Amino acid sequence: VLGVDISHLSRKGQFIVCASGVFVFSLLYGFLQELISVTLLDRKLGLFLATMQFTGYVFWAFLLQRYVYGQKGKSLSARYSSNKLKNTPQASPTNDTTTTSDPLSQQHKKILS
């Protein structure tokens, strides 16, 4: 983390170090943002600064959702639709009336039986 090897710590210790780092840097970020808003801008552009920050978050969230998670989402939805077609029971004399067309219900029945 930041050029310091923490692999000698336990997993719990590594988590505490990383979580503390996120907390400290978040406090530092808030302090510096408030300092800029109060000292340099005389509280005149505080809302503008918050609006620009929000716009940046929305922009990066859109890119992340569109180009990173979007690729995985397409393959998962395509896989689900193909599994749904494969797992749909066909009408036959051996099927009982309690069988549903929902693949998740069929999987739950297989697990429970």
Side-chain angles (χ1 to χ4, degrees):
V1 177
L2 297 175
V4 178
D5 182 26
I6 61 170
S7 62
H8 64 279
L9 297 174
S10 66
R11 290 181 60 99
K12 184 177 179 180
Q14 290 176 4
F15 173 77
I16 290 172
V17 168
C18 291
S20 299
V22 168
F23 182 73
V24 167
F25 281 109
S26 177
L27 285 177
L28 180 64
Y29 173 76
F31 174 75
L32 292 175
Q33 186 176 16
E34 188 71 18
L35 181 70
I36 290 170
S37 177
V38 171
T39 307
L40 299 177
L41 304 175
D42 295 326
R43 290 192 187 265
K44 293 179 184 173
L45 298 175
L47 185 58
F48 174 75
L49 185 62
T51 303
M52 288 297 103
Q53 182 179 358
F54 176 74
T55 304
Y57 288 160
V58 168
F59 172 74
W60 288 112
F62 172 77
L63 286 180
L64 182 71
Q65 188 266 338
R66 174 84 173 158
Y67 295 108
V68 176
Y69 295 132
Q71 301 301 324
K72 294 177 185 175
K74 287 180 184 177
S75 64
L76 288 176
S77 63
R79 190 178 320 151
Y80 177 72
S81 64
S82 66
N83 283 343
K84 188 173 183 179
L85 293 175
K86 289 178 187 175
N87 291 333
T88 304
Q90 303 295 324
S92 68
T94 59
N95 285 346
D96 60 3
T97 58
T98 60
T99 304
T100 63
S101 63
D102 184 18
L104 293 177
S105 296
Q106 292 175 359
Q107 290 176 355
H108 288 281
K109 287 181 181 179
K110 289 179 185 177
I111 292 171
L112 293 175
S113 61

